[in-house]
Amino acid sequence: MIMEIRAINTLKLIDTQEIKSRRKFDKMCKKLTKLVLKHDKKSQKEGKNEEFLIRVKKNSYIVKSGRYGFVVGIKKAESRWL
């Protein structure tokens, strides 16, 4: 399987990794949630009241706060040469 991490506002590719188990995918999603929560706490202190969104589906994960967030998706690795 291939895991891709993209920025939420531009969908620009940040990182791509090949994973062999679903556990690594879940671990990465937890790390990204902590990072966005940390950003959300800073914006709450500044008086900005923004929506915090988490959406989990079978092969994708979205975590977002305001304009800051990530989209993580997994897909099957397919060789173009076969």
Side-chain angles (χ1 to χ4, degrees):
M1 293 186 288
I2 297 174
M3 178 175 64
E4 293 182 343
I5 302 171
R6 296 182 178 267
I8 193 90
N9 52 0
T10 61
L11 293 179
K12 183 178 178 184
L13 184 64
I14 296 172
D15 191 20
T16 301
Q17 295 180 3
E18 187 171 345
I19 58 173
K20 298 194 187 292
S21 68
R22 184 91 180 173
R23 186 172 180 231
K24 189 169 183 176
F25 173 74
D26 293 336
K27 211 172 177 183
M28 181 62 71
C29 292
K30 286 180 185 179
K31 285 181 184 178
L32 292 174
T33 302
K34 286 181 184 179
L35 182 66
V36 173
L37 277 171
K38 184 178 175 183
H39 172 78
D40 189 47
K41 286 181 183 178
K42 287 181 182 179
S43 66
Q44 294 270 336
K45 287 181 182 178
E46 295 173 0
K48 297 178 185 175
N49 201 3
E50 297 174 344
E51 180 183 349
F52 186 74
L53 171 71
I54 296 178
R55 184 174 296 146
V56 181
K57 292 190 176 182
K58 185 177 179 183
N59 293 327
S60 66
Y61 181 84
I62 297 173
V63 60
K64 179 183 183 240
S65 173
R67 296 185 327 162
Y68 187 79
F70 299 99
V71 178
V72 183
I74 55 174
K75 60 184 180 180
K76 287 187 178 181
E78 296 179 4
S79 177
R80 291 185 274 173
W81 305 108
L82 295 177

